[in-house]
Amino acid sequence: MNSSSTRTDQDPRVRVLEAAARQSLHAPSVFNTQPWRWRVTGDALELRADPDRQLAHTDPDGRLLMLSCGAALHHARVSLAAAGWAVTVERLPDPSLLARVRTTGPADLDVPAGRLVDVIARRRTDRRAYGDRPVPEAVLARLGDAVEAEGAQLHVVRPDQMPMLAVSTGRAADAELADPAYREELHHWTHRPAGSGDGVPAATAVRPSPRRVPLRDYAPGGAAGLSAGTDFDRGAAYLILFGDSDEPAAWLRGGEALSALLLTATAEGLASAPLSDAVELAWPRRMMRDLLAGIGDPYLVVRVGWGPDGELPPAPRRAPADVIEVVDQSRGLVRPVPS
């Protein structure tokens, strides 16, 4: 290795940006597609969408792809803040370059960010049934504050709105399962090759059971690896994440807010599970907008509550070398990071 590449590898900014990109590999994504790529270049970390990982049928507009990439962006941002680095973020909602995170120098350690970073690796999408204990209003308020800090908003579904949420979600799920193209896409992402590091394997799927709001069946006709448990989500809170507009820049910010919501919920000891069924088709998305009384555009529904005991298996994750690359500016070379 020559001296120029050695200097690049030893640059503390490169190391910290690479570490932030590695943390982002834990971010949630639709069907666990992990549709993002990172490039470390000098003092910047560049986020790009991976169009080959977009769900062409389930997510033709790229709404869920952008939310997923936004979640990865937030994971990287809080990792840098917790490591004591100040950054600027330029959001460019073009798939070829969604955002550029640039380090501007050392900063005081961000204690709240450190609290979120501490739970990144242990956050799970928990599709099991939650218990009867309600989520305290103070906790819901803190979740709302976390979302608003990222430029989005949160609506707690009221008891009188629950029937509409349950019916629209259930009917949307039935409509999708009746569509051969959806079933093919679902099968593709639930039957991934060994070592692919993505998708929703049967081991992490939950067997169907009575719920207040139906959950997606990731193993229709198959053998899901997890039981829902003995509870029925009676104490669960259902949250609609929404924003002021329905366009790519807002979806990206919505994904950052989603990450803030899920990490804050985990830090509060809550289980959580995003529910995208209710926004994947146009007509249930309109019903979610009605639940918001027309004040915003819905991006996602999230269920939070007190989950059952027992650790969940981790979701597969892609290898860093498949997602992150570093530019050696002195030599004009691009290399993958070691896994």
Side-chain angles (χ1 to χ4, degrees), residues 89-335:
V89 182
E90 183 182 10
R91 294 173 180 84
L92 305 162
D94 182 320
S96 63
L97 183 57
L98 295 178
R100 182 182 290 112
V101 182
R102 191 178 300 279
T103 57
T104 57
D108 293 336
L109 292 178
D110 188 323
V111 174
R115 181 170 178 252
L116 299 186
V117 168
D118 285 345
V119 302
I120 281 179
R122 63 181 175 87
R123 181 207 62 81
R124 301 281 190 272
T125 295
D126 194 341
R127 304 182 183 95
R128 298 173 299 176
Y130 302 163
D132 295 348
R133 178 186 170 193
V135 180
E137 292 294 331
V139 175
L140 292 174
R142 289 194 287 272
L143 297 182
D145 291 343
V147 165
E148 290 179 10
E150 297 300 326
Q153 299 177 68
L154 203 62
H155 171 73
V156 181
V157 178
R158 302 189 309 266
D160 64 291
Q161 295 177 320
M162 286 299 299
M164 181 182 289
L165 175 63
V167 170
S168 61
T169 302
R171 290 183 177 176
D174 290 344
E176 288 188 317
L177 278 174
D179 186 336
Y182 167 82
R183 294 199 305 271
E184 181 179 354
E185 195 163 65
L186 180 68
H187 185 274
H188 176 79
W189 288 102
T190 55
H191 294 77
R192 301 292 290 150
S196 66
D198 55 18
V200 183
T204 66
V206 174
R207 293 186 286 277
S209 69
R211 301 292 188 95
R212 292 174 68 198
V213 176
L215 267 68
R216 191 194 309 274
D217 184 357
Y218 281 98
L226 298 173
S227 167
T230 59
D231 291 312
F232 298 97
D233 292 328
R234 290 192 185 95
Y238 293 82
L239 315 174
I240 302 178
L241 177 68
F242 69 99
D244 296 331
S245 63
D246 194 29
E247 46 88 24
W251 302 337
L252 187 68
R253 293 303 298 261
E256 294 175 82
L258 172 64
S259 168
L261 167 60
L262 297 177
L263 293 179
T264 303
T266 304
E268 294 282 353
L270 293 170
S272 61
L275 312 175
S276 61
D277 312 51
V279 298
E280 289 168 4
L281 300 176
W283 62 266
R285 197 159 58 246
R286 287 194 297 270
M287 296 182 75
M288 294 304 99
R289 190 176 292 113
D290 289 343
L291 287 182
L292 298 173
I295 64 172
D297 290 290
Y299 301 149
L300 207 63
V301 177
V302 178
R303 178 180 60 118
V304 299
W306 306 104
D309 294 333
E311 188 172 347
L312 287 168
R317 294 297 169 191
R318 299 175 69 193
D322 294 336
V323 185
I324 309 166
E325 58 188 17
V326 178
V327 177
D328 182 340
Q329 293 183 310
S330 65
R331 302 173 62 196
L333 298 178
V334 179
R335 63 170 176 82

